[in-house]
Amino acid sequence: LRMVMALKAVLILLITVSLVSPCSIEDEMVRISVREATRSELEAKKEVEAVRAELAEMKKEVAWYSLHVAAAAACRGSTASGGTGPWANSVLAKENTRSCADQCADTTRTVCDADVSIQGSFG
């Protein structure tokens, strides 16, 4: 349907142009083809940019997940027991100004087995 509408528009344009302009139908078809190709190229560029932005966001998510997994492994490996308490092990982000016990006291997971520091960056 989109193609039929485009062809109708081209035919109307060609008839109009041929009535008011001495240029040939072939010349006008070339101009229309170039214009449509340019439009298609711009749309494709927009789609590529959107995919690139989405990929960049996914890379950030994977980087954060990797840091979290590294912190969990470091924390679990830094204790003699490998982690204790009635809950599954978890990792909580904290600022250096707070102690592990203070951080855990603010959550439902009150047993703190270790305090580790992990640093990472994107790229």
Side-chain angles (χ1 to χ4, degrees), residues 31-115:
R31 278 194 286 272
I32 291 169
S33 297
V34 168
R35 185 174 61 230
E36 289 301 314
T38 302
R39 225 182 259 155
S40 296
E41 182 180 355
L42 292 174
E43 289 174 12
K45 284 182 180 180
K46 287 178 185 176
E47 289 175 13
V48 166
E49 288 305 314
V51 169
R52 283 184 179 156
E54 185 178 347
L55 180 60
E57 187 60 33
M58 290 171 71
K59 285 181 178 180
K60 286 180 185 178
E61 290 175 11
V62 169
W64 279 117
Y65 177 76
S66 298
L67 283 173
H68 185 83
V69 169
C75 187
R76 189 171 185 106
S78 66
T79 63
S81 67
T84 60
W87 309 283
N89 291 326
S90 62
V91 174
L92 304 173
K94 74 171 198 63
E95 295 180 10
N96 287 336
T97 57
R98 297 192 73 195
S99 72
C100 181
D102 289 343
Q103 181 71 29
C104 290
D106 290 344
T107 71
T108 57
R109 305 199 177 217
T110 56
V111 177
C112 181
D113 290 329
D115 187 357

Side-chain angles (χ1 to χ4, degrees), residues 1-8:
L1 181 62
R2 187 175 171 189
M3 182 62 93
V4 171
M5 296 298 289
L7 288 174
K8 283 181 181 178

